[in-house]
Coordinates of all heavy atoms in Angstrom, one line a residue:
P1001 N 9.3 18.4 -5.4 CA 8.8 17.1 -5.0 C 7.7 17.2 -4.0 O 7.6 18.3 -3.3 CB 10.0 16.3 -4.5 CG 10.9 17.4 -4.0 CD 10.7 18.6 -4.9
H1002 N 7.0 16.1 -3.7 CA 6.0 16.1 -2.6 C 6.7 15.5 -1.4 O 7.7 14.9 -1.5 CB 4.8 15.3 -3.0 CG 3.9 16.0 -3.9 ND1 4.2 16.6 -5.1 CD2 2.6 16.4 -3.7 CE1 3.2 17.2 -5.6 NE2 2.2 17.1 -4.8
V1003 N 6.1 15.8 -0.2 CA 6.7 15.5 1.1 C 5.6 14.9 2.0 O 4.5 15.3 2.0 CB 7.2 16.8 1.7 CG1 7.7 16.6 3.1 CG2 8.2 17.5 0.9
V1004 N 6.0 13.8 2.7 CA 5.2 13.2 3.7 C 5.4 13.9 5.0 O 6.5 14.0 5.5 CB 5.4 11.7 3.8 CG1 4.4 11.0 4.7 CG2 5.4 11.0 2.4
C1005 N 4.3 14.3 5.7 CA 4.4 15.0 6.9 C 3.9 14.2 8.1 O 3.5 13.1 8.0 CB 3.7 16.4 6.8 SG 4.5 17.5 5.6
Q1006 N 3.9 14.9 9.2 CA 3.6 14.2 10.5 C 2.3 13.3 10.6 O 2.4 12.3 11.3 CB 3.5 15.3 11.6 CG 3.5 14.7 13.0 CD 3.2 15.8 14.1 OE1 3.9 16.8 14.1 NE2 2.3 15.5 14.9
P1007 N 1.2 13.7 9.9 CA 0.0 12.8 10.1 C 0.3 11.4 9.7 O -0.5 10.5 10.1 CB -1.0 13.5 9.2 CG -0.6 14.9 9.1 CD 0.9 14.9 9.2
C1008 N 1.3 11.2 8.9 CA 1.6 9.8 8.4 C 2.2 8.9 9.6 O 2.1 7.7 9.5 CB 2.7 9.8 7.3 SG 3.1 8.2 6.6
F1009 N 2.7 9.6 10.6 CA 3.3 8.8 11.8 C 2.3 7.8 12.3 O 1.2 8.1 12.7 CB 3.7 9.9 12.9 CG 4.7 9.3 13.8 CD1 6.1 9.4 13.4 CD2 4.4 8.8 15.0 CE1 7.0 8.9 14.3 CE2 5.3 8.3 15.9 CZ 6.7 8.4 15.5
D1010 N 2.7 6.5 12.3 CA 1.9 5.4 12.8 C 0.7 5.1 11.9 O -0.1 4.3 12.3 CB 1.5 5.6 14.2 CG 2.5 5.1 15.2 OD1 3.4 4.3 14.8 OD2 2.5 5.5 16.4
C1011 N 0.6 5.7 10.8 CA -0.5 5.4 9.8 C -0.2 4.1 9.2 O 1.0 3.8 8.8 CB -0.6 6.5 8.8 SG -1.8 6.1 7.5
K1012 N -1.2 3.2 9.1 CA -0.9 1.9 8.6 C -1.4 1.8 7.1 O -1.3 0.7 6.5 CB -1.7 0.8 9.4 CG -1.2 0.9 10.9 CD 0.2 0.3 11.0 CE 0.6 0.3 12.5 NZ 1.8 1.0 12.8
Y1013 N -1.9 2.8 6.5 CA -2.4 2.8 5.2 C -1.2 2.9 4.2 O -0.3 3.7 4.5 CB -3.4 3.8 4.9 CG -4.7 3.6 5.7 CD1 -4.9 4.3 6.9 CD2 -5.7 2.8 5.2 CE1 -6.0 4.1 7.7 CE2 -6.9 2.6 5.9 CZ -7.0 3.2 7.2 OH -8.2 3.1 7.9
T1014 N -1.3 2.3 3.1 CA -0.3 2.5 2.0 C -1.0 2.8 0.7 O -0.5 2.4 -0.4 CB 0.6 1.3 1.9 OG1 -0.2 0.1 1.8 CG2 1.5 1.1 3.1
D1015 N -2.2 3.4 0.8 CA -2.9 3.7 -0.4 C -2.1 4.6 -1.4 O -2.2 4.5 -2.6 CB -4.2 4.5 -0.1 CG -5.1 3.7 1.0 OD1 -4.5 3.2 2.0 OD2 -6.3 3.7 0.8
C1016 N -1.3 5.5 -0.8 CA -0.5 6.4 -1.6 C 0.6 5.6 -2.4 O 0.9 5.9 -3.6 CB 0.2 7.4 -0.7 SG 1.2 6.6 0.7
V1017 N 1.2 4.6 -1.7 CA 2.3 3.9 -2.3 C 1.8 3.2 -3.6 O 2.6 3.2 -4.6 CB 2.8 2.8 -1.3 CG1 3.9 2.0 -1.9 CG2 3.3 3.5 0.0
V1018 N 0.6 2.6 -3.6 CA 0.2 1.8 -4.7 C -0.1 2.6 -5.9 O -0.1 2.2 -7.1 CB -1.0 0.8 -4.4 CG1 -0.5 -0.2 -3.4 CG2 -2.2 1.6 -3.9
V1019 N -0.4 3.9 -5.7 CA -0.8 4.7 -6.9 C 0.4 5.5 -7.5 O 0.3 6.1 -8.6 CB -1.9 5.8 -6.6 CG1 -3.2 5.1 -6.2 CG2 -1.5 6.8 -5.5
C1020 N 1.5 5.5 -6.8 CA 2.7 6.3 -7.3 C 3.3 5.6 -8.5 O 3.7 4.5 -8.4 CB 3.7 6.4 -6.2 SG 5.2 7.3 -6.7
P1021 N 3.3 6.3 -9.6 CA 3.8 5.7 -10.9 C 5.3 5.5 -10.9 O 5.8 4.7 -11.8 CB 3.3 6.7 -12.0 CG 3.3 8.0 -11.2 CD 2.9 7.7 -9.8
V1022 N 6.0 6.2 -10.1 CA 7.5 6.0 -10.1 C 8.0 5.3 -8.8 O 9.2 5.2 -8.6 CB 8.2 7.4 -10.3 CG1 7.9 7.9 -11.7 CG2 7.8 8.4 -9.2
E1023 N 7.1 4.8 -8.0 CA 7.5 4.0 -6.8 C 8.5 4.7 -6.0 O 9.6 4.2 -5.6 CB 8.0 2.6 -7.2 CG 6.9 1.8 -7.9 CD 7.3 0.4 -8.3 OE1 8.4 0.0 -7.9 OE2 6.5 -0.3 -9.0
C1024 N 8.2 6.0 -5.6 CA 9.2 6.8 -4.9 C 8.9 6.9 -3.4 O 9.5 7.7 -2.7 CB 9.4 8.1 -5.5 SG 8.0 9.2 -5.5
F1025 N 7.9 6.1 -2.9 CA 7.7 6.0 -1.5 C 8.6 5.0 -0.8 O 8.8 3.9 -1.4 CB 6.2 5.6 -1.2 CG 5.3 6.7 -1.3 CD1 4.6 7.0 -2.5 CD2 5.0 7.6 -0.3 CE1 3.7 8.0 -2.7 CE2 4.1 8.6 -0.4 CZ 3.4 8.8 -1.6
Y1026 N 9.1 5.3 0.3 CA 10.0 4.4 1.1 C 9.5 4.3 2.5 O 9.1 5.3 3.1 CB 11.4 4.9 1.0 CG 12.0 4.9 -0.4 CD1 11.8 5.9 -1.3 CD2 12.7 3.8 -0.8 CE1 12.3 5.9 -2.6 CE2 13.2 3.7 -2.1 CZ 13.0 4.7 -3.0 OH 13.4 4.7 -4.2
E1027 N 9.5 3.1 3.0 CA 8.9 2.9 4.3 C 9.9 2.9 5.4 O 10.9 2.1 5.5 CB 8.2 1.5 4.3 CG 7.2 1.3 5.5 CD 6.3 0.1 5.3 OE1 6.3 -0.5 4.2 OE2 5.7 -0.2 6.3
G1028 N 9.8 3.9 6.3 CA 10.7 4.0 7.5 C 10.1 3.2 8.6 O 9.1 2.5 8.5
D1029 N 10.7 3.3 9.8 CA 10.2 2.6 11.0 C 8.7 3.0 11.3 O 7.9 2.2 11.7 CB 11.1 2.9 12.2 CG 12.4 2.1 12.1 OD1 12.4 1.2 11.3 OD2 13.3 2.5 12.9
K1030 N 8.5 4.3 11.3 CA 7.2 4.8 11.8 C 6.4 5.5 10.7 O 5.2 5.8 10.9 CB 7.5 5.8 12.9 CG 7.9 5.2 14.2 CD 6.7 4.5 14.8 CE 7.0 3.8 16.1 NZ 5.9 3.0 16.6
M1031 N 6.9 5.8 9.6 CA 6.2 6.5 8.5 C 6.8 6.3 7.2 O 7.9 5.7 7.1 CB 6.0 8.0 8.9 CG 7.4 8.8 9.0 SD 7.2 10.6 9.3 CE 6.8 11.1 7.6
L1032 N 6.1 6.8 6.2 CA 6.7 6.8 4.8 C 7.4 8.0 4.5 O 7.1 9.1 5.0 CB 5.5 6.6 3.8 CG 4.6 5.3 4.0 CD1 3.4 5.4 3.1 CD2 5.4 4.1 3.8
Y1033 N 8.3 7.9 3.5 CA 9.0 9.1 3.0 C 9.0 9.1 1.5 O 9.0 8.0 0.9 CB 10.5 9.1 3.5 CG 10.6 9.1 5.0 CD1 11.0 7.9 5.6 CD2 10.4 10.2 5.7 CE1 11.1 7.9 7.0 CE2 10.5 10.2 7.1 CZ 10.8 9.0 7.8 OH 11.0 9.0 9.1
I1034 N 9.0 10.3 0.9 CA 9.1 10.4 -0.6 C 10.5 10.8 -0.9 O 11.1 11.8 -0.4 CB 8.1 11.4 -1.1 CG1 6.7 10.9 -0.9 CG2 8.4 11.7 -2.6 CD1 5.6 12.0 -1.2
H1035 N 11.1 10.1 -1.9 CA 12.5 10.4 -2.4 C 12.3 11.6 -3.3 O 11.7 11.5 -4.3 CB 13.1 9.3 -3.1 CG 14.6 9.4 -3.3 ND1 15.1 10.5 -3.9 CD2 15.6 8.5 -3.0 CE1 16.4 10.4 -3.9 NE2 16.7 9.2 -3.4
P1036 N 12.9 12.8 -2.9 CA 12.7 14.0 -3.7 C 13.3 14.0 -5.1 O 12.8 14.7 -6.0 CB 13.4 15.1 -2.8 CG 14.4 14.3 -2.0 CD 13.8 13.0 -1.7
D1037 N 14.3 13.1 -5.3 CA 14.9 13.1 -6.7 C 14.1 12.2 -7.6 O 14.3 12.2 -8.8 CB 16.3 12.5 -6.6 CG 17.2 13.5 -5.8 OD1 16.9 14.6 -5.7 OD2 18.2 13.0 -5.3
E1038 N 13.1 11.4 -7.0 CA 12.4 10.5 -7.8 C 10.9 10.9 -8.1 O 10.3 10.6 -9.1 CB 12.4 9.1 -7.2 CG 13.8 8.5 -7.0 CD 13.9 7.2 -6.2 OE1 12.8 6.7 -5.8 OE2 15.0 6.8 -6.0
C1039 N 10.4 11.7 -7.2 CA 9.0 12.2 -7.3 C 8.9 13.1 -8.5 O 9.7 14.0 -8.7 CB 8.6 13.0 -6.0 SG 7.0 13.8 -6.1
I1040 N 7.8 12.8 -9.3 CA 7.6 13.6 -10.5 C 6.4 14.6 -10.4 O 5.9 15.2 -11.3 CB 7.4 12.7 -11.7 CG1 6.2 11.8 -11.5 CG2 8.6 11.9 -12.1 CD1 5.7 11.0 -12.7
D1041 N 6.0 14.8 -9.1 CA 4.9 15.8 -8.8 C 3.6 15.5 -9.6 O 2.9 16.4 -10.0 CB 5.4 17.2 -9.1 CG 6.4 17.7 -8.0 OD1 6.3 17.1 -6.9 OD2 7.1 18.6 -8.3
C1042 N 3.3 14.2 -9.7 CA 2.1 13.9 -10.5 C 0.8 14.2 -9.7 O -0.3 14.2 -10.2 CB 2.1 12.5 -10.9 SG 1.9 11.3 -9.6
E1043 N 1.0 14.2 -8.3 CA -0.1 14.4 -7.4 C -1.1 13.3 -7.2 O -2.1 13.4 -6.5 CB -0.9 15.7 -7.7 CG 0.0 16.9 -7.9 CD -0.6 18.2 -7.4 OE1 -1.7 18.6 -7.9 OE2 0.0 18.8 -6.5
A1044 N -0.8 12.2 -7.8 CA -1.7 11.0 -7.7 C -1.9 10.6 -6.2 O -3.0 10.1 -5.8 CB -1.2 9.8 -8.5
C1045 N -0.9 10.7 -5.4 CA -0.9 10.2 -4.0 C -1.7 11.2 -3.1 O -2.2 10.7 -2.1 CB 0.5 10.1 -3.5 SG 1.4 11.7 -3.5
V1046 N -1.8 12.4 -3.4 CA -2.4 13.4 -2.5 C -3.8 13.1 -2.1 O -4.1 13.0 -0.9 CB -2.3 14.8 -3.1 CG1 -3.0 15.8 -2.1 CG2 -0.8 15.2 -3.3
P1047 N -4.7 12.8 -3.0 CA -6.1 12.5 -2.6 C -6.2 11.1 -2.0 O -7.2 10.8 -1.4 CB -6.9 12.6 -3.9 CG -5.9 12.4 -5.0 CD -4.6 12.9 -4.5
E1048 N -5.3 10.2 -2.2 CA -5.3 8.8 -1.7 C -5.0 8.8 -0.2 O -5.4 7.8 0.5 CB -4.4 7.9 -2.5 CG -4.7 7.7 -3.9 CD -6.1 7.2 -4.1 OE1 -6.5 6.4 -3.3 OE2 -6.8 7.6 -5.1
C1049 N -4.2 9.8 0.3 CA -3.8 9.7 1.7 C -5.0 10.0 2.6 O -5.6 11.1 2.6 CB -2.7 10.8 1.9 SG -2.2 10.9 3.6
P1050 N -5.3 9.0 3.5 CA -6.5 9.1 4.3 C -6.3 10.1 5.5 O -7.2 10.6 6.1 CB -6.7 7.7 4.9 CG -5.4 7.1 4.8 CD -4.7 7.7 3.6
V1051 N -5.0 10.5 5.7 CA -4.7 11.4 6.8 C -4.2 12.8 6.4 O -3.7 13.6 7.2 CB -3.8 10.8 7.8 CG1 -4.4 9.6 8.5 CG2 -2.4 10.4 7.2
E1052 N -4.3 13.0 5.1 CA -3.8 14.3 4.5 C -2.4 14.7 4.9 O -2.2 15.8 5.4 CB -4.8 15.4 4.8 CG -6.1 15.2 4.1 CD -7.2 16.3 4.3 OE1 -6.7 17.5 4.4 OE2 -8.4 16.0 4.4
A1053 N -1.5 13.7 4.8 CA -0.1 13.9 5.2 C 0.8 14.4 4.1 O 2.0 14.8 4.3 CB 0.4 12.7 5.8
I1054 N 0.3 14.4 2.8 CA 1.2 14.7 1.7 C 1.0 16.1 1.1 O -0.2 16.4 0.8 CB 1.0 13.6 0.6 CG1 1.2 12.2 1.2 CG2 2.1 13.8 -0.5 CD1 0.8 11.1 0.3
F1055 N 2.1 16.8 1.0 CA 2.0 18.2 0.4 C 3.1 18.4 -0.6 O 4.2 17.8 -0.5 CB 2.2 19.2 1.6 CG 1.1 19.1 2.6 CD1 1.3 18.3 3.7 CD2 0.0 19.9 2.6 CE1 0.3 18.2 4.7 CE2 -1.0 19.9 3.6 CZ -0.8 19.0 4.6
H1056 N 2.9 19.3 -1.5 CA 4.0 19.8 -2.3 C 5.0 20.5 -1.4 O 4.5 21.2 -0.5 CB 3.5 20.7 -3.5 CG 4.6 21.1 -4.4 ND1 5.5 22.1 -4.2 CD2 5.0 20.5 -5.6 CE1 6.4 22.1 -5.2 NE2 6.1 21.2 -6.0
E1057 N 6.2 20.4 -1.6 CA 7.2 21.0 -0.7 C 7.0 22.6 -0.5 O 7.3 23.1 0.5 CB 8.7 20.8 -1.1 CG 9.1 21.5 -2.4 CD 10.6 21.2 -2.7 OE1 11.3 20.9 -1.8 OE2 11.0 21.4 -3.9
D1058 N 6.4 23.2 -1.5 CA 6.1 24.6 -1.4 C 4.9 24.9 -0.6 O 4.7 26.1 -0.2 CB 5.9 25.2 -2.8 CG 7.2 25.2 -3.6 OD1 8.3 25.1 -3.1 OD2 7.1 25.4 -4.9
N1059 N 4.1 23.9 -0.3 CA 2.9 24.1 0.4 C 2.8 23.4 1.8 O 1.8 23.2 2.3 CB 1.7 23.6 -0.4 CG 1.5 24.4 -1.7 OD1 1.7 25.6 -1.7 ND2 1.1 23.8 -2.8
V1060 N 4.0 23.0 2.2 CA 4.0 22.3 3.5 C 3.6 23.3 4.6 O 4.2 24.4 4.7 CB 5.4 21.7 3.8 CG1 5.5 21.2 5.2 CG2 5.7 20.6 2.8
P1061 N 2.7 22.9 5.5 CA 2.3 23.8 6.6 C 3.5 24.1 7.4 O 4.4 23.3 7.6 CB 1.3 23.0 7.4 CG 0.7 22.0 6.4 CD 1.8 21.7 5.4
E1062 N 3.5 25.3 8.0 CA 4.7 25.9 8.6 C 5.3 24.9 9.7 O 6.5 24.8 9.9 CB 4.4 27.2 9.2 CG 5.7 28.0 9.4 CD 5.4 29.5 9.8 OE1 4.4 30.0 9.4 OE2 6.2 30.1 10.5
E1063 N 4.3 24.3 10.5 CA 4.8 23.5 11.6 C 5.5 22.2 11.2 O 6.1 21.5 12.0 CB 3.6 23.2 12.6 CG 2.5 22.3 12.0 CD 1.4 23.2 11.4 OE1 1.6 24.2 10.8 OE2 0.2 22.7 11.5
W1064 N 5.4 21.9 9.9 CA 6.0 20.7 9.4 C 7.1 20.9 8.4 O 7.5 19.9 7.7 CB 4.9 19.8 8.8 CG 3.8 19.3 9.8 CD1 4.0 19.1 11.1 CD2 2.4 19.1 9.5 NE1 2.8 18.7 11.7 CE2 1.8 18.7 10.7 CE3 1.7 19.1 8.3 CZ2 0.5 18.4 10.8 CZ3 0.3 18.8 8.4 CH2 -0.3 18.4 9.6
T1065 N 7.6 22.1 8.3 CA 8.6 22.3 7.3 C 9.9 21.5 7.4 O 10.6 21.2 6.5 CB 9.0 23.8 7.2 OG1 9.3 24.2 8.6 CG2 7.9 24.7 6.7
S1066 N 10.1 21.0 8.7 CA 11.3 20.2 8.9 C 11.2 18.8 8.1 O 12.2 18.1 7.9 CB 11.5 19.9 10.4 OG 10.4 19.2 10.9
Y1067 N 9.9 18.5 7.8 CA 9.7 17.2 7.1 C 10.3 17.2 5.6 O 10.5 16.2 5.1 CB 8.3 16.8 7.1 CG 7.8 16.3 8.4 CD1 7.5 17.1 9.5 CD2 7.7 14.9 8.6 CE1 7.2 16.6 10.7 CE2 7.4 14.4 9.8 CZ 7.1 15.2 10.9 OH 6.7 14.7 12.1
V1068 N 10.5 18.4 5.1 CA 11.1 18.5 3.7 C 12.5 17.8 3.7 O 12.8 16.9 2.9 CB 11.1 19.9 3.2 CG1 11.8 20.0 1.9 CG2 9.7 20.6 3.2
E1069 N 13.3 18.3 4.7 CA 14.6 17.7 4.8 C 14.6 16.3 5.3 O 15.4 15.5 4.8 CB 15.4 18.6 5.8 CG 16.9 18.7 5.4 CD 17.6 19.7 6.3 OE1 17.3 20.9 6.1 OE2 18.5 19.3 7.1
M1070 N 13.7 16.0 6.2 CA 13.6 14.6 6.7 C 13.3 13.6 5.6 O 13.9 12.6 5.6 CB 12.5 14.6 7.8 CG 12.5 13.4 8.7 SD 11.1 13.3 9.8 CE 11.2 14.9 10.7
N1071 N 12.3 13.9 4.7 CA 12.1 13.0 3.6 C 13.3 12.8 2.7 O 13.6 11.7 2.3 CB 10.9 13.6 2.7 CG 9.5 13.3 3.3 OD1 8.8 12.6 2.7 ND2 9.2 13.8 4.5
A1072 N 14.0 13.9 2.5 CA 15.2 13.9 1.6 C 16.3 13.0 2.3 O 17.0 12.3 1.6 CB 15.7 15.3 1.3
E1073 N 16.4 13.1 3.6 CA 17.5 12.4 4.3 C 17.1 10.9 4.5 O 18.0 10.0 4.4 CB 17.7 13.0 5.7 CG 18.6 14.2 5.7 CD 18.7 14.9 7.0 OE1 18.3 14.3 8.0 OE2 19.3 16.0 7.1
K1074 N 15.9 10.7 4.8 CA 15.5 9.3 5.2 C 15.2 8.4 4.0 O 15.5 7.2 4.1 CB 14.3 9.3 6.1 CG 14.4 10.2 7.4 CD 14.9 9.4 8.6 CE 14.9 10.2 9.8 NZ 15.3 9.5 11.0
A1075 N 14.5 8.9 3.0 CA 14.1 8.1 1.9 C 15.2 7.3 1.3 O 15.1 6.0 1.1 CB 13.4 8.9 0.8
P1076 N 16.4 7.9 1.0 CA 17.5 7.1 0.4 C 18.0 6.0 1.4 O 18.6 5.0 0.9 CB 18.6 8.1 0.2 CG 17.9 9.4 0.2 CD 16.8 9.3 1.2
D1077 N 17.8 6.1 2.7 CA 18.3 5.1 3.6 C 17.3 3.9 3.9 O 17.6 3.0 4.5 CB 18.6 5.8 5.0 CG 19.8 6.6 4.9 OD1 20.6 6.4 4.0 OD2 20.0 7.5 5.8
C1078 N 16.1 4.0 3.4 CA 15.1 3.0 3.6 C 15.3 1.8 2.7 O 15.8 1.9 1.7 CB 13.7 3.5 3.4 SG 13.2 4.8 4.6
Ligands
LIG2125 FE1 4.6 9.6 -6.4 FE2 3.3 11.4 -7.8 FE3 3.1 11.3 -5.2 FE4 5.3 12.2 -6.3 S1 3.3 13.2 -6.4 S2 5.1 10.7 -4.5 S3 5.4 10.8 -8.1 S4 2.4 9.7 -6.6

């Protein structure tokens, strides 16, 4: 699945949400999360993100690897 990382924090855009064909974005207090069981890796959201916060889980920059688990934990609770 794809993962939302730190640049999303306090971002007010939801351009990614509207293009997702399976509606797997969930809105937390401060950022969006992708539900890993629902994302189909279509990549439609990646170029829409104005802050380049979305990565495939295999390509998450090292400093943000904790976001893989964070998306998995938080998305179902939103
Ligand atoms: Fe949705 Fe596709 Fe982005 Fe996954 S990769 S969150 S399915 S738009």
Side-chain angles (χ1 to χ4, degrees):
H1002 280 59
V1003 175
V1004 186
C1005 295
Q1006 189 187 313
C1008 183
F1009 202 82
D1010 273 340
C1011 174
K1012 302 287 183 239
Y1013 295 93
T1014 50
D1015 306 45
C1016 53
V1017 176
V1018 297
V1019 298
C1020 180
V1022 294
E1023 297 181 9
C1024 64
F1025 279 94
Y1026 293 84
E1027 197 168 348
D1029 284 345
K1030 285 287 178 187
M1031 61 176 280
L1032 301 171
Y1033 301 106
I1034 292 172
H1035 196 309
D1037 297 337
E1038 299 174 4
C1039 174
I1040 57 171
D1041 286 337
C1042 73
E1043 308 219 301
C1045 58
V1046 177
E1048 296 302 323
C1049 177
V1051 293
E1052 293 183 35
I1054 307 171
F1055 299 87
H1056 187 276
E1057 67 175 340
D1058 292 342
N1059 296 324
V1060 171
E1062 200 171 333
E1063 65 266 38
W1064 297 329
T1065 50
S1066 61
Y1067 283 79
V1068 176
E1069 211 169 295
M1070 198 186 300
N1071 278 245
E1073 279 176 8
K1074 304 266 189 179
D1077 286 341
C1078 292

